[in-house]
Amino acid sequence: MASCNQWVQNSHFKQVLWLFSWGTHVTAIHSGIILTPVITEFHFQGPYFELSQNIGLFVGAIVFGLGSDIWGRKVSFNSTLLVVGVFATAAAGSPDSIFLCVFSAFWSVGVGGNLPVDSAIFLEFLPGTHQYLLTVLSIWWAFGQLFASLIAWAVLPNLSCPVDVTDCPKSQNMGWRYYVIIMGVLMIILWAIRFFVFTLYESPKYLMGRGRDAEAVEVVHKVAALNGTTSNLTLRDLSRFDKAGPGVDISTQAAIERNVAKFNASHVRALFKTRTIAWSTTLVISIWALIGLAFPLYSCFIPYYLATRGATYGDGSSYLTYRNEVIISVIGIPGAILAGWMVDLPKFGRKGALASSTLLTGVFLFASTTARSSNQLLGWNCAFTFTSNVMYGVLYAMTPELFPTKDRGTGNGLAATGNRIFGVFAPIVALKSNLESSSPIWISGALFIVAGFLALLLPLETRGKSAM
């Protein structure tokens, strides 16, 4: 990939960079925000709602993560938001908890596929000197959470049943339905922008990895023109990296046969071919898995914690609950920005930023159990959100950098799958725990601390190096 990396290094991207980042706004559809009103209306155990969402995230990570190495990044990129938008909008018509959980699972398939695909394709269009921007990309996640919290604060308090009522008819609890309609329509609009307005070219590095060098050169020249520059890259420059060899059948039938043939363990084996790469892959997947259990065990139930603890402290109104959610979301934005600065610090880099932010996230969760008022709990939640956004920003940037280009989609998919598998267990732990106690918080905090120590063991530091 040397010639392609060199071309990217010498190019000036303007129009390509930030349009990719709209994809992470998909995280705005956060089921935790509507957890309290749907429990009040449907009278079911809330963790089942989170369980359905996490199952969908798991399926999406597998289908779109591995699929992006088979049918390409472009197809996955252009389809995930549509999946989210259609099923989120449909969820507003749910007559009971079963329908709601089913729709939640389907919209989460799109969310689970969107995250690893976006990070892979964004990285493959970035110069090595600007890979820190993948970390800053997570700021759109923070903006997505803030936007979702603002919509919730505007809609839910006045259009939801009180938490302590026993009878909550649909007519008095329309807030969460309006919320998912707004967010679903937004996802469809963003999908339309992706599909009809923004021209996405297939990743040149992906094309090279599949032996399609001529197409890779063509894309390089098109993207250069799009950004007001030129490229002198030629097919001859890439010929020594040709994986497919001359005379490759490019018919539709042959392409389908090659895609089916590639749907095997070859991409997975490549991620364990040497001791260093195997150890790195194992640690990355383990870190993602532990965080996948720890993060939803707490964050998905934050509105519920705020409401129930607020009731205990005497200030658990819906208005204050969602106002506090907005404050917490605002605090996450500077965390994403700080992550982009931390990852390029000398003698600190990605590993130091990941380890420190993950450890602090666990510490702040432990500290939150000492809160004796809503304001104290809000303060600790703000600290948790700040460091966890730093953590996720670094993790999303570092993960694809550790995998070779031709196997990056699979590597991202495996990491995301580990995250989603363990995420499935979070609602199960919640079902066995008392959400009104501190037990889930202690478990979550301990898992973050273990993940932080694992980050210190990573054998590779990618600061200042172009992605493989």
Side-chain angles (χ1 to χ4, degrees):
M1 305 295 170
S3 294
C4 193
N5 274 331
Q6 184 179 11
W7 174 82
V8 172
Q9 185 73 34
N10 295 331
S11 297
H12 303 283
F13 283 89
K14 299 174 184 176
Q15 300 173 38
V16 173
L17 285 179
W18 296 107
L19 284 173
F20 284 120
S21 64
W22 281 105
T24 55
H25 197 90
V26 73
T27 56
I29 300 184
H30 193 323
S31 60
I33 288 180
I34 63 172
L35 182 62
T36 301
V38 298
I39 289 176
T40 305
E41 179 177 342
F42 294 136
H43 301 289
F44 72 112
Q45 291 182 286
Y48 283 117
F49 184 34
E50 300 298 335
L51 179 62
S52 67
Q53 182 183 44
N54 288 339
I55 290 173
L57 293 172
F58 167 60
V59 173
I62 293 179
V63 171
F64 289 103
L66 297 180
S68 67
D69 281 337
I70 298 169
W71 54 66
R73 277 61 158 155
K74 184 175 179 178
V75 173
S76 297
F77 181 84
N78 283 334
S79 58
T80 51
L81 291 187
L82 181 62
V83 173
V84 178
V86 168
F87 287 106
T89 305
S94 300
D96 54 39
S97 61
I98 296 176
F99 275 88
L100 178 62
C101 289
V102 169
F103 285 126
S104 173
F106 278 112
W107 90 49
S108 298
V109 170
V111 178
N114 185 81
L115 297 176
V117 171
D118 277 18
S119 62
I121 198 168
F122 187 71
L123 177 65
E124 290 168 10
F125 277 100
L126 275 178
T129 55
H130 290 71
Q131 285 180 194
Y132 70 91
L133 288 174
L134 186 59
T135 305
V136 181
L137 185 68
S138 64
I139 194 173
W140 291 103
W141 184 6
F143 276 121
Q145 290 176 316
L146 174 59
F147 181 82
S149 297
L150 287 169
I151 296 298
W153 190 19
V155 173
L156 292 174
N158 297 322
L159 296 171
S160 300
C161 296
V163 178
D164 54 355
V165 301
T166 56
D167 182 27
C168 179
K170 175 181 177 180
S171 60
Q172 298 179 19
N173 201 46
M174 291 295 294
W176 71 265
R177 290 181 167 84
Y178 294 147
Y179 171 81
V180 295
I181 289 173
I182 292 170
M183 304 313 296
V185 170
L186 173 63
M187 294 304 109
I188 294 174
I189 292 173
L190 292 176
W191 165 78
I193 292 173
R194 276 188 174 187
F195 195 81
F196 296 107
V197 179
F198 177 49
T199 301
L200 174 71
Y201 298 108
E202 186 59 85
S203 162
K205 293 182 181 181
Y206 163 79
L207 293 171
M208 288 177 61
R210 301 304 298 269
R212 295 155 62 181
D213 289 359
E215 294 176 60
V217 173
E218 181 182 1
V219 168
V220 163
H221 286 279
K222 286 182 178 179
V223 176
L226 181 67
N227 287 275
T229 185
T230 59
S231 171
N232 57 5
L233 186 69
T234 66
L235 183 59
R236 180 177 298 178
D237 294 329
L238 301 185
S239 60
R240 55 198 175 105
F241 300 104
D242 191 2
K243 305 297 181 184
V248 176
D249 186 354
I250 60 172
S251 67
T252 301
Q253 179 178 350
I256 294 174
E257 291 174 353
R258 283 197 299 274
N259 285 338
V260 172
K262 287 292 183 181
F263 200 59
N264 54 38
S266 62
H267 291 294
V268 177
R269 287 195 299 269
L271 300 175
F272 296 88
K273 63 182 178 181
T274 67
R275 179 174 297 181
T276 299
I277 293 178
W279 179 235
S280 177
T281 300
T282 301
L283 284 175
V284 168
I285 295 174
S286 299
I287 292 169
W288 273 102
L290 290 174
I291 292 175
L293 176 56
F295 192 79
L297 187 58
Y298 183 67
S299 65
C300 288
F301 299 101
I302 280 180
Y304 185 81
Y305 291 141
L306 291 174
T308 55
R309 303 293 167 83
T312 301
Y313 303 140
D315 53 0
S317 70
S318 295
Y319 179 86
L320 286 177
T321 296
Y322 291 107
R323 184 211 65 177
N324 290 350
E325 266 289 297
V326 170
I327 294 172
I328 291 170
S329 298
V330 169
I331 296 299
I333 295 173
I337 298 173
L338 179 64
W341 173 74
M342 291 177 65
V343 293
D344 276 338
L345 287 177
K347 299 182 180 180
F348 197 68
R350 271 72 160 159
K351 286 173 59 176
L354 178 60
S356 61
S357 59
T358 307
L359 289 169
L360 285 173
T361 298
V363 169
F364 287 138
L365 276 185
F366 285 155
S368 70
T369 62
T370 67
R372 295 296 178 266
S373 70
S374 288
N375 287 337
Q376 291 179 9
L377 181 59
L378 174 61
W380 290 122
N381 276 326
C382 287
F384 161 80
T385 301
F386 181 84
T387 56
S388 65
N389 273 34
V390 175
M391 173 195 71
Y392 265 117
V394 177
L395 192 58
Y396 275 116
M398 188 177 187
T399 299
E401 292 176 344
L402 293 171
F403 301 125
T405 297
K406 69 182 183 64
D407 309 304
R408 182 168 294 135
T410 299
N412 284 352
L414 288 175
T417 299
N419 181 268
R420 302 313 183 190
I421 289 176
F422 275 68
V424 169
F425 289 105
I428 297 174
V429 173
L431 283 169
K432 299 298 182 180
S433 304
N434 180 5
L435 289 180
E436 297 184 9
S437 73
S438 297
S439 298
I441 300 175
W442 283 103
I443 296 171
S444 181
L447 291 170
F448 277 119
I449 289 175
V450 172
F453 281 115
L454 288 183
L456 293 173
L457 301 177
L458 286 167
L460 301 174
E461 171 58 63
T462 56
R463 186 183 72 86
K465 302 175 182 177
S466 294
M468 293 181 285

